[in-house]
Amino acid sequence: MTTKRSFWNNHKFVILTIISVFFGISIGIALRVQNVSPFVETLIFFPGEIFMRLLKLLVLPLVCASLISALSQLNPETAKQLGLKTVLYYLCTASLATIIGLALVILIHPGDPSIKAGKVLKRPEDLSHEAIDNILDVIRNLIPENIIGAATRRSQTKMVNETLTGPLVKRVDQVDGLNILGIITFCALIGIGTSKVGATGEPVRQFFASLEKIVLLLIEGAMWFAPFGISSLVAASISEVHDLLLILQILSAYVGTVLAGLTIHIFIVLPVFYFLATRKNPLSIMKAMLPAFMTSLGTASSGAALPVGLQCMEGKADARVVKFVLPLGASTNMDGNALYEAVAAIFIAQINGIDLSIRELITISITSTLASAGLNAVPAGLVSMLVILDTVGLPVSDITLIVAVDWFLDRVRTAICTMADGLVASAVGHMVNLDPLEGNELEQLNLTLRDEKDEFVDMLV
């Protein structure tokens, strides 16, 4: 009995998540068969909406508190070394993912122009975006004008017609959405500044350390609502896709190409890269990150998996590194998205019978890597695909062909990114030498936080 209870306590969230995914699939299929009223659909989808609102509400304070708390405990030189190695590691793995995607989609060639029944569209002559625009947008968002505004707006280059008859011109606008890159930059600077002022910054350090514990405790409670929310989200995704079986049949080669690339990346590229960096077995980290993997698979949100990942990596790497790398990775480590976007762009070119040049393939590779880094830590959709298609002049209307299967691929690629975050945190922790905290303060902090979580969970049960 003790063994069974221990197994349930250690794996209950994974078990409930798996059950909720299959339950959501069943509900979604039933909704497609039965002609239920819009009121019933609203009630079924409502738990998923509330669940996502809870997660979005807590992601921003969690990222801010985690980054500032982690960096404030490091000396400035260590923080600089930690940030540089983390970003370089992410860029390397994202670039490798993009290359894998390009190679597979060109080799397998899943796109067939006959799918469009002869209605092949030509690329427009005037491109609305250039690769340099995407790079400049990333840099702009890294340095926001207003940190309060960064919580709701981010910069994006657009083509606008300032007069009814005049030509299109480029303009940098502020669009709705969390500028997570700017938030990370600001919090990193606050954390480093707190560490530099020494004892003067102790109140700030204690405040954000306490805030982090409070937010984690709130998210721990919100996770008990996850099985209902996940079932609702999966059911909504399936029920809203029209002609699912037909589209899956047409796009089976495309889906297979993306899945093959993601499989190669998670089981070959990332473990080999991790082993070369650490000379350690990556399987132990991958096993520890399994609950976070299942969370992101069910919610299609790296933000939802962030608090679970922080718990999974406890004891696997220096907690200060984990609290820095995982929040950063939740928004910038988008290996799966980089691979997916590269495959999708070339797939759309293939179904239109367009042969891309080497320059255009390189442009897609760079744009996919950079665009993937700007996605939020919540289910992202296909927004960045618009920028990539515009960059190489491909018809954006063909995105509708891949929307039908995006609900599934989004979950898989997000789960891959979450698993990669754990490997990156462990690898960076191995490469960066951190000074141990005096008096075993870090271990005492982890023990206190764990005890508080256990008490809260026992109260809920």
Side-chain angles (χ1 to χ4, degrees):
M1 179 64 67
T2 302
T3 303
K4 291 182 179 180
R5 183 183 297 273
S6 177
F7 178 83
W8 167 253
N9 289 335
N10 292 332
H11 301 89
K12 56 181 177 290
F13 189 72
V14 178
I15 296 172
L16 290 174
T17 300
I18 295 174
I19 294 174
S20 62
V21 169
F22 283 102
F23 187 60
I25 292 174
S26 302
I27 296 176
I29 294 175
L31 291 175
R32 293 173 61 84
V33 174
Q34 301 293 328
N35 187 20
V36 298
S37 66
F39 177 72
V40 174
E41 288 187 348
T42 300
L43 292 180
I44 293 176
F45 303 157
F46 187 68
E49 177 186 351
I50 296 301
F51 179 57
M52 293 310 303
R53 292 175 71 93
L54 280 172
L55 296 179
K56 292 177 182 179
L57 174 66
L58 296 173
V59 162
L60 181 59
L62 175 62
V63 170
C64 294
S66 295
L67 280 175
I68 296 177
S69 175
L71 290 175
S72 65
Q73 299 181 60
L74 303 176
N75 62 66
E77 185 61 33
T78 301
K80 177 181 177 181
Q81 183 184 14
L82 176 60
L84 180 62
K85 291 188 176 181
T86 301
V87 172
L88 289 177
Y89 200 106
Y90 281 148
L91 287 176
C92 288
T93 55
S95 299
L96 289 173
T98 304
I99 293 172
I100 292 172
L102 290 174
L104 286 178
V105 72
I106 293 174
L107 179 64
I108 299 175
H109 202 286
D112 187 350
S114 62
I115 293 179
K116 302 189 69 175
K119 298 179 180 179
V120 176
L121 299 178
K122 295 182 180 180
R123 286 186 287 178
E125 296 297 330
D126 296 326
L127 304 184
S128 60
H129 287 84
E130 297 177 0
I132 187 63
D133 295 325
N134 304 306
I135 297 175
L136 294 178
D137 282 343
V138 170
I139 297 175
R140 290 188 186 102
N141 287 318
L142 279 171
I143 309 175
E145 296 178 342
N146 186 330
I147 190 59
I148 303 299
T152 58
R153 310 278 285 177
R154 61 174 179 264
S155 299
Q156 179 177 314
T157 301
K158 290 183 175 181
M159 296 296 294
V160 297
N161 192 344
E162 296 183 340
T163 63
L164 294 177
T165 59
L168 295 175
V169 296
K170 289 181 183 178
R171 189 173 70 188
V172 179
D173 280 346
Q174 294 294 314
V175 299
D176 292 336
L178 174 64
N179 179 10
I180 192 67
L181 295 179
I183 296 293
I184 288 175
T185 300
F186 180 79
C187 292
L189 293 176
I190 292 295
I192 295 173
T194 303
S195 68
K196 289 193 68 174
V197 298
T200 306
E202 187 60 28
V204 176
R205 185 162 35 247
Q206 292 180 357
F207 170 79
F208 282 102
S210 299
L211 178 62
E212 181 190 18
K213 293 198 292 182
I214 293 171
V215 174
L216 284 174
L217 201 63
L218 294 176
I219 294 180
E220 182 81 23
M223 285 298 104
W224 285 101
F225 186 66
F228 304 99
I230 292 173
S231 296
S232 177
L233 291 170
V234 174
S237 299
I238 294 178
S239 65
E240 291 175 356
V241 174
H242 300 289
D243 298 326
L244 180 61
L245 294 179
L246 177 61
I247 294 177
L248 285 177
Q249 181 180 359
I250 295 175
L251 301 179
S252 59
Y254 163 73
V255 174
T257 302
V258 176
L259 293 180
L262 294 175
T263 300
I264 292 173
H265 189 67
I266 190 61
F267 288 112
I268 298 178
V269 175
L270 288 178
V272 170
F273 204 80
Y274 175 85
F275 177 78
L276 293 176
T278 65
R279 295 298 190 272
K280 295 181 180 180
N281 185 0
L283 294 181
S284 61
I285 302 298
M286 297 176 72
K287 180 180 178 181
M289 286 293 292
L290 186 58
F293 178 91
M294 295 304 303
T295 302
S296 55
L297 186 65
T299 63
S301 171
S302 54
L306 177 58
V308 183
L310 290 172
Q311 297 176 31
C312 293
M313 288 301 295
E314 186 176 332
K316 297 296 182 180
D318 191 300
R320 291 167 291 178
V321 176
V322 172
K323 289 192 292 182
F324 173 81
V325 174
L326 261 60
L328 181 64
S331 59
T332 58
N333 180 24
M334 297 296 175
D335 294 3
N337 288 301
L339 187 150
Y340 160 80
E341 289 162 0
V343 172
I346 297 180
F347 171 77
I348 290 176
Q350 290 174 351
I351 63 177
N352 282 281
I354 297 174
D355 294 326
L356 298 175
S357 65
I358 296 297
R359 179 185 62 82
E360 289 169 325
L361 292 176
I362 295 175
T363 299
I364 289 176
S365 177
I366 296 174
T367 307
S368 298
T369 302
L370 294 177
S372 66
L375 295 176
N376 292 333
V378 295
L382 301 170
V383 177
S384 58
M385 278 301 304
L386 297 174
V387 176
I388 297 172
L389 294 178
D390 277 342
T391 299
V392 291
L394 294 172
V396 297
S397 59
D398 286 337
I399 287 182
T400 57
L401 293 172
I402 58 178
V403 167
V405 294
D406 183 67
W407 67 270
F408 169 68
L409 293 177
D410 188 26
R411 282 163 168 76
V412 177
R413 64 181 185 259
T414 303
I416 298 299
C417 294
T418 299
M419 181 67 73
D421 286 340
L423 293 172
V424 175
S426 178
V428 172
H430 175 82
M431 293 185 291
V432 177
N433 296 320
L434 299 181
D435 296 330
L437 295 177
E438 296 181 0
N440 207 20
E441 295 174 356
L442 187 60
E443 179 61 25
Q444 186 61 42
L445 175 63
N446 289 333
L447 289 174
T448 303
L449 178 57
R450 193 183 309 126
D451 291 340
E452 292 177 355
K453 290 179 181 177
D454 291 340
E455 292 176 1
F456 184 71
V457 170
D458 290 341
M459 180 182 64
L460 290 178
V461 175

